[in-house]
Amino acid sequence: MATLRVEIVTAERTVLETEADMVIAPGAEGQLGILPRHAPLITALAPGAIRLKHGAAEEETIVVSGGFLEVRNNRVIILADAAERDDEIDIARAEEAVTLARERIQSRASAVDLERAVQSLHRAQVRVKVARRRRTAGAPPVSRGG
Ligand code: ATP
């Protein structure tokens, strides 16, 4: 059966290169489900979670904070502004970012700052949600070398 070759890259690094049976991504105009033999497509991505399905049961999740997605010849290429695999998310950092963004929103910042704070809150909330889901799914904590 055909599969998808998936690459998720940022300006800094290749976050993930793998095969998947299905990709679910937060398109700027709504959720996208991509299966093998999908028609060619280029679209902007909203901040959110990308889910890669491997068979019926296995799934991995990567958080992206916006970018572009291209589908061509069973390849899915995601150029993300920032991206983290669920096991890379620093949950404490994301929770701090939620608190800080909420404080900024409550302090009734200027329109520009408010917009940035709302976007930051959204990014951080997605990170917290994905990291917590991974934790409750029983995955071992990430070991950070040092
Ligand atoms: P923060 O306020 O915590 O810096 P941010 O939303 O401003 O978060 P981004 O600008 O989206 O951060 O990302 C900057 C870099 O930090 C990217 O490489 C991103 O992958 C990484 N990053 C941001 N938040 C986290 C997190 N909670 N865990 C792991 N990496 C993160």
Side-chain angles (χ1 to χ4, degrees):
M1 202 182 89
T3 57
L4 294 161
R5 179 88 199 145
V6 185
E7 283 169 53
I8 302 181
V9 296
T10 67
E12 279 132 39
R13 65 183 181 126
T14 297
V15 178
L16 187 111
E17 237 182 307
T18 189
E19 302 282 326
D21 296 312
M22 184 177 185
V23 176
I24 299 165
E29 284 163 31
Q31 197 83 335
L32 294 166
I34 300 153
L35 290 164
R37 293 190 249 283
H38 195 286
L41 167 79
I42 295 184
T43 185
L45 288 176
I50 297 196
R51 283 155 57 207
L52 307 182
K53 293 203 176 256
H54 307 283
E58 209 192 315
E59 190 173 301
E60 61 189 314
T61 308
I62 298 94
V63 169
V64 291
S65 60
F68 290 91
L69 175 149
E70 177 177 25
V71 185
R72 191 151 41 102
N73 296 335
N74 286 339
R75 282 182 80 202
V76 179
I77 299 172
I78 293 164
L79 304 172
D81 299 332
E84 307 94 45
R85 295 191 321 264
D86 58 1
D87 64 339
E88 293 176 317
I89 296 171
D90 179 339
I91 194 162
R93 175 175 165 182
E95 281 167 347
E96 271 171 36
V98 167
T99 305
L100 191 66
R102 285 207 174 116
E103 282 169 10
R104 287 211 185 109
I105 291 164
Q106 275 160 12
S107 74
R108 297 180 198 282
S110 68
V112 174
D113 287 351
L114 189 61
E115 173 73 23
R116 283 177 55 182
V118 168
Q119 286 169 1
S120 169
L121 178 63
H122 182 59
R123 284 197 301 276
Q125 282 175 327
V126 174
R127 286 176 174 133
V128 169
K129 187 173 153 194
V130 167
R132 281 204 186 128
R133 197 190 294 142
R134 179 174 195 274
R135 208 156 63 173
T136 52
V142 191
S143 77
R144 302 206 173 275

